[in-house]
Amino acid sequence: MAFAVGCIAGPAAADDGGRRTAPLVLVRTVKAERTTISAALIFTGDIQTQSQVSVSFRTNGKIVQRLVEVGDHVTADRVLARLDPQQLKADLNNAQAALTSAEALLTQAKVSFKRQESLLAGGFTTRPSYDDAEQQLRVSQASVDSAKAAVGTAQEQLSYTELRAGVDGIVLSRTFEVGQVVQTGQTVLALAQDGPRDAVFNVFEAVLAAPPESPTVDVALQADPTVRTVGTVREISPSVDTASGTVRVKVGLKETPPAMTLGAIVVGTGTFRARQAVILPWSALYRWEGGPAVWVRDPATGTVAPRAVTIDHFGTQTIVLSGGVEPGEEVVVAGIQLLRPGQSVAVAAVVEPLR
């Protein structure tokens, strides 16, 4: 609601001694009343994933192929990128050759042991020779087992040249290009894992001072308000963003409509406990001694004085006071630019209180 200033200095009046007194100032006032503030608060946020996965190669190498772009939906076993496998293939070939050599030595050790076993049974060899053959057989068998393990390790390392996500999800970002050399564990992709989604809002800290009446939040798609769902407050950041003075609140959605894609702008409506406050038009607000104030008229003397107030929040054309003005007091809403402490005023009109 807008108010015209409508304040005109009246003619100077003479007192009983014939002296001129200060002219009256015409003002408009409103009688303060406590009003129940709407319990619904509306915030704007966006859809984010509850679980984000950082994907990295498990071995060093040079990237030779990239198979995904940002925004692609991938499955857990899909190959996302490949490293140059030449060095690891050579390591595998060496391990397989070592295994073949160890298996040949094992075959020779088995034949020698069988021969010594037969000769010992016929009394044609000594016990130490038999023991040596048995020991050589055991050493050869251990060499084969070690070579098999080396082959398995080389095969596993070769499989690491293919990058797989391990989970189903959507590619959020990538930090690599073909030809780039990467290190083990270096993050190259960020993946939004399929599953529950959050509606994330940045809320002013003062709003959270009063606990919500219900943890349930109604969430609607800004582009199409008919797309709606509900969620519950899942996480409230313990710190305040120093740049914006807000606190991040994550609302876990019970169901995520297909239209609510990652990054979609949504509007959340939360229910807070109703409270009483004085609502005044913007035109009543005045700055006094470095803080917000209003002009209060004393009906007994017809004079005004500035009064410091505490502002709960600002509306589109109103201010909501949490303190400083009591119900029944008369607040000036038009003509404040001509006032000074102790100024005598004449009330041109008393407007209806805002609700």
Side-chain angles (χ1 to χ4, degrees):
M1 177 184 295
F3 295 91
V5 173
C7 50
I8 305 173
D15 60 12
D16 292 340
R19 291 168 300 184
R20 308 299 291 178
T21 60
L24 294 177
V25 174
L26 293 178
V27 296
R28 293 183 181 181
T29 63
V30 63
K31 285 195 174 181
E33 291 184 1
R34 290 201 182 276
T35 304
T36 301
I37 299 177
S38 174
L41 294 179
I42 299 175
F43 310 98
T44 302
D46 63 337
I47 299 297
Q48 297 183 15
T49 180
Q50 286 191 6
S51 179
Q52 183 171 315
V53 179
S54 296
V55 183
S56 58
F57 284 101
R58 299 173 67 178
T59 188
N60 304 332
K62 179 180 180 180
I63 298 174
V64 295
Q65 193 174 20
R66 172 170 53 83
L67 303 174
V68 293
E69 293 290 350
V70 173
D72 289 350
H73 184 275
V74 299
T75 56
D77 58 350
R78 176 178 170 181
V79 178
L80 309 179
R82 288 189 175 93
L83 296 178
D84 185 352
Q86 295 305 316
Q87 180 61 49
L88 294 177
K89 282 184 177 179
D91 293 342
L92 176 59
N93 291 336
N94 289 337
Q96 289 173 334
L99 175 60
T100 300
S101 176
E103 288 175 338
L105 292 175
L106 176 61
T107 300
Q108 183 179 354
K110 286 181 178 179
V111 172
S112 178
F113 175 72
K114 286 293 185 181
R115 183 184 302 114
Q116 288 294 327
E117 190 176 40
S118 298
L119 292 174
L120 183 63
F124 297 104
T125 189
T126 62
R127 187 71 186 185
S129 296
Y130 172 82
D131 291 341
D132 289 344
E134 183 180 24
Q135 180 65 24
Q136 186 60 41
L137 176 62
R138 291 178 177 176
V139 171
S140 298
Q141 183 62 58
S143 297
V144 169
D145 293 341
S146 177
K148 286 181 177 179
V151 169
T153 299
Q155 289 174 333
E156 185 177 16
Q157 288 294 318
L158 182 59
S159 71
Y160 291 162
T161 60
E162 293 185 337
L163 180 65
R164 289 180 169 84
V167 295
D168 297 344
I170 298 173
V171 179
L172 293 179
S173 64
R174 64 176 176 84
T175 57
F176 73 95
E177 294 293 345
V178 174
Q180 180 178 342
V181 176
V182 295
Q183 303 298 318
T184 302
Q186 177 183 339
T187 298
V188 294
L189 288 173
L191 203 69
Q193 186 174 349
D194 286 350
R197 296 286 189 251
D198 282 338
V200 181
F201 304 97
N202 291 321
V203 180
F204 284 104
E205 184 184 17
V207 174
L208 300 177
E213 186 176 11
S214 170
T216 301
V217 178
D218 294 323
V219 180
L221 188 65
Q222 186 184 49
D224 184 2
T226 61
V227 179
R228 310 182 68 87
T229 186
V230 295
T232 55
V233 176
R234 187 177 69 85
E235 178 184 314
I236 299 177
S237 174
S239 60
V240 179
D241 187 315
T242 55
S244 62
T246 58
V247 175
R248 174 160 291 192
V249 177
K250 295 182 178 180
V251 176
L253 303 181
K254 293 183 179 179
E255 294 182 0
T256 306
M260 287 188 181
T261 57
L262 288 176
I265 303 301
V266 292
V267 177
T269 304
T271 303
F272 289 78
R273 291 189 177 92
R275 59 190 187 278
Q276 298 290 314
V278 174
I279 302 178
L280 298 174
W282 267 94
S283 58
L285 187 60
Y286 186 75
R287 186 172 183 83
W288 179 259
E289 295 183 346
V294 296
W295 289 92
V296 178
R297 177 178 177 270
D298 184 355
T301 62
T303 60
V304 294
R307 177 84 58 81
V309 295
T310 303
I311 298 178
D312 184 283
H313 67 271
F314 294 95
T316 305
Q317 295 182 343
T318 62
I319 54 173
V320 180
L321 306 183
S322 58
V325 176
E326 296 299 325
E329 290 189 310
E330 199 171 352
V331 179
V332 178
V333 296
I336 63 174
Q337 69 273 24
L338 299 176
L339 301 181
R340 64 179 186 276
Q343 172 76 50
S344 296
V345 298
V347 179
V350 178
V351 301
E352 291 293 324
L354 297 177
R355 293 179 173 83

